[in-house]
Amino acid sequence: MRKTFNITTFGCQMNEHDSEIMAGMLIEEGYEQVDNRKDADIAIINTCSIRDNADKRFFGTLGQLKRRKKENPEFTVCVCGCMMQQQHVIDTIKAKYPWVDVIFGTHNIHKLPELLADVIARKGKQIDVWPEGGEIVEGLPCERLYKSKALVNIMFGCNNFCTYCIVPYTRGRERSRRPEEIVAEVKNLVADGVREIMLLGQNVNSYKGEKKDSDEICDFAELIYMLNEIEGLERIRFMTSHPKDLSDRLIQAFVDCDKLCKNIHLPVQAGSSRILKAMNRHYDREKYLKLVERLKAAVPGITMSTDIIVGFPGETEEDFEETLDLIRQVEYDSAFTFLYSIRKGTPAEKMENQIPEEVKHQRFDRLVELVNSISAKKNAAYVGRIEKVLVEGASKTNSRTYTGRTDGFKLVNFKGTPDMVGKIVDVKITEGKTFSLEGEVL
Ligand code: 5AD
Ligand code: SF4
């Protein structure tokens, strides 16, 4: 009988895509993917270490698997992802969670089938974590979450060392894929029914792909122009884009490339120049606001989202007010808001003036209220508009309600039929809510 596996994924799209690749490799090896962890012979947990709550959820999940292992010693537990790149996590697992069979990291997901086969062949626990990324492994299979849209890595790692962030330690230094490899992958995806791609990198603006058979370097804007030529591809998105490296060439690409969606995720993190400096972001409030102005002027109607951290060490009430003020000026369509979370080994861990929890929470609530009120106002303005929506599928709670995204990345709910999935349909917007739009297919 075929062994079954289930992957639990925490964290960002990078992790989501790593999980898609792991699923692709295991299916190719003859394993079968199941939706529920309870039904699986093999549980894989892909972890995130961006904030403390992700760590806690992981250990909670691991705790739940103890009984399964006791009842059935053949049950296999694999853990991977960002948390495994930290020695203190591995030490904790070894000491307190002995039922884990396989540990590997972010740099060697391609080794999963081998490590798993060794455990199944009773060769004992397998721990294989690489401190750094080796050569980029191309051509790995992938089991996509959606038929019509795909995640595409263009680069790995991060060189920016924002002082609060663990990613440079867990994902290593920046490495870019060759442009030809990316183009070939996207062509294959399109042949397989993909209409929309999301290009992934911790900072896509510093993409530097070495071209084959030449010494030339392809930058991010050039990559977009290349991908825009691919026949059958309808939409290109990307994430994430560091404001310090956003080039005029990329702004021009929004104007020239019809497939590039008019939407950008542009994490600001804080609205106070003093805090931005302490965060090592390499831009100040004015520079960020000017960049937003340039984007809005060049790309009318562009939608914007951002990431904001509250309670970074030393953040005063005035600093926080500057964040609120910046949000009012930019008027983001949506924003991901985070309570600052101390990460072991980062420069901010050692900073004085850590902000008390109750102050953080109080600021967080004010921030969310402002962000949501702007989102609701922006969404309300869509009523009556006709939007092109790429249909993703039926809603989990109501099989007649379908969901999809507009070019500007707005989530739309509407009454639909199964044949619409994967197609771009015209939807008339009838209602704007805080986090989504309601509409009717024309
Ligand atoms: N605490 C809170 N938020 C964080 N982020 C990254 N590190 C931390 C941290 N230590 C947020 C940033 C980043 C997003 C992915 O997560 O806003 O853009
Ligand atoms: Fe973290 Fe900054 Fe790199 Fe983003 S750019 S992954 S916030 S260090």
Side-chain angles (χ1 to χ4, degrees):
M1 245 197 25
R2 292 208 294 171
K3 281 205 181 263
T4 56
F5 70 93
N6 171 270
I7 308 182
T8 306
T9 309
F10 293 102
C12 64
Q13 273 119 333
M14 284 280 173
N15 266 19
E16 223 166 79
H17 189 47
D18 283 349
S19 292
E20 289 181 335
I21 292 172
M22 290 192 274
M25 290 187 297
L26 293 186
I27 290 167
E28 212 172 73
E29 295 284 321
Y31 299 91
E32 185 188 341
Q33 181 160 233
V34 289
D35 290 337
N36 204 323
R37 197 165 58 217
K38 282 204 223 52
D39 307 325
D41 301 316
I42 303 156
I44 301 162
I45 306 175
N46 191 358
T47 64
C48 166
S49 43
I50 198 87
R51 282 170 295 274
D52 188 43
N53 52 1
D55 285 24
K56 287 210 178 90
R57 281 170 63 208
F58 165 64
F59 284 119
T61 307
L62 261 195
Q64 291 166 19
L65 299 178
K66 180 179 185 179
R67 226 184 65 209
R68 279 290 303 284
K69 188 75 174 184
K70 216 169 182 178
E71 288 163 5
N72 173 15
E74 298 284 301
F75 176 62
T76 308
V77 180
C78 309
V79 296
C80 60
C82 289
M83 284 180 75
M84 303 311 134
Q85 295 296 140
Q86 297 162 278
Q87 190 55 46
H88 67 92
V89 173
I90 296 179
D91 295 342
T92 305
I93 295 174
K94 281 189 192 157
K96 296 193 186 156
Y97 304 87
W99 53 93
V100 170
D101 300 289
V102 181
I103 304 178
F104 58 105
T106 57
H107 301 303
N108 60 341
I109 60 168
H110 58 281
K111 296 263 303 206
L112 170 62
E114 197 183 316
L115 297 169
L116 197 51
D118 284 349
V119 167
I120 291 169
R122 298 178 200 276
K123 290 190 186 164
K125 271 186 206 304
Q126 302 293 317
I127 301 180
D128 188 7
V129 176
W130 297 4
E132 279 161 51
E135 284 278 297
I136 293 175
V137 183
E138 292 289 351
L140 293 175
C142 176
E143 180 70 11
R144 285 197 308 280
L145 216 50
Y146 294 94
K147 186 121 191 55
S148 58
K149 58 176 202 174
L151 302 169
V152 178
N153 271 132
I154 64 166
M155 59 192 297
F156 304 90
C158 179
N159 290 355
N160 293 309
F161 292 93
C162 301
T163 51
Y164 50 81
C165 187
I166 195 76
V167 169
Y169 310 90
T170 61
R171 290 266 171 188
R173 293 297 66 71
E174 283 175 5
R175 282 148 291 138
S176 295
R177 290 176 69 193
R178 288 185 187 276
E180 298 85 356
E181 297 280 4
I182 298 168
V183 169
E185 178 179 345
V186 174
K187 282 184 176 162
N188 281 335
L189 288 168
V190 170
D192 192 39
V194 166
R195 319 287 297 272
E196 174 180 311
I197 53 167
M198 169 78 89
L199 305 175
L200 295 180
Q202 245 73 44
N203 174 15
V204 292
N205 294 330
S206 59
Y207 171 80
K208 287 182 196 69
E210 285 174 33
K211 291 187 192 171
K212 253 185 203 151
D213 309 321
S214 93
D215 301 332
E216 273 179 58
I217 295 288
C218 173
D219 71 2
F220 184 53
E222 186 178 352
L223 180 69
I224 299 270
Y225 282 90
M226 283 164 80
L227 295 169
N228 196 57
E229 296 299 309
I230 296 178
E231 219 168 295
L233 180 65
E234 309 237 13
R235 287 177 169 182
I236 304 169
R237 303 184 188 281
F238 58 84
M239 158 149 209
T240 291
S241 180
H242 195 308
K244 80 178 165 68
D245 302 312
L246 200 149
S247 68
D248 287 335
R249 278 165 53 72
L250 181 62
I251 297 180
Q252 190 57 39
F254 274 109
V255 179
D256 296 337
C257 300
D258 57 323
K259 293 175 185 172
L260 185 58
C261 292
K262 295 190 177 14
N263 165 250
I264 190 164
H265 183 64
L266 197 62
V268 65
Q269 312 297 0
S272 142
S273 296
R274 202 178 65 82
I275 295 294
L276 288 169
K277 189 155 201 301
M279 287 177 161
N280 192 33
R281 290 292 289 176
H282 293 280
Y283 55 84
D284 59 16
R285 174 191 177 84
E286 286 66 40
K287 195 171 159 203
Y288 183 90
L289 284 170
K290 280 210 181 93
L291 177 60
V292 167
E293 238 170 66
R294 280 185 5 246
L295 275 162
K296 284 184 176 172
V299 194
I302 191 169
T303 54
M304 285 191 186
S305 57
T306 198
D307 292 343
I308 299 158
I309 298 176
V310 281
F312 184 81
E315 183 188 72
T316 62
E317 176 61 24
E318 290 71 44
D319 292 321
F320 176 64
E321 294 277 350
E322 284 200 76
T323 298
L324 295 181
D325 183 68
L326 181 137
I327 294 167
R328 280 187 211 104
Q329 283 193 46
V330 177
E331 296 207 299
Y332 294 103
D333 291 271
S334 63
F336 297 95
T337 49
F338 306 110
L339 289 161
Y340 167 70
S341 166
I342 296 187
R343 304 286 69 204
K344 234 194 180 98
T346 61
E349 180 200 5
K350 303 276 181 324
M351 288 182 188
E352 287 168 17
N353 296 323
Q354 299 283 337
I355 306 298
E357 285 303 310
E358 63 275 15
V359 176
K360 275 195 224 171
H361 281 271
Q362 185 245 13
R363 286 182 190 159
F364 185 81
D365 292 346
R366 287 159 66 197
L367 176 72
V368 170
E369 199 186 300
L370 174 65
V371 162
N372 288 353
S373 70
I374 296 172
S375 297
K377 184 183 107 177
K378 292 223 128 181
N379 286 348
Y382 277 70
V383 173
R385 281 170 62 162
I386 294 164
E387 289 284 321
K388 297 226 171 288
V389 173
L390 176 60
V391 185
E392 284 174 9
S395 113
K396 285 193 185 80
T397 46
N398 180 344
S399 62
R400 285 193 58 217
T401 301
Y402 281 70
T403 63
R405 296 265 177 188
T406 66
D407 180 280
F409 209 55
K410 301 259 179 202
L411 186 68
V412 190
N413 298 308
F414 49 90
K415 292 267 167 290
T417 46
D419 58 293
M420 290 176 186
V421 176
K423 299 205 172 100
I424 293 180
V425 297
D426 283 327
V427 177
K428 183 163 183 190
I429 306 304
T430 53
E431 191 188 341
K433 298 183 167 179
T434 306
F435 304 111
S436 63
L437 305 172
E438 303 286 311
E440 286 162 5
V441 177
L442 292 183

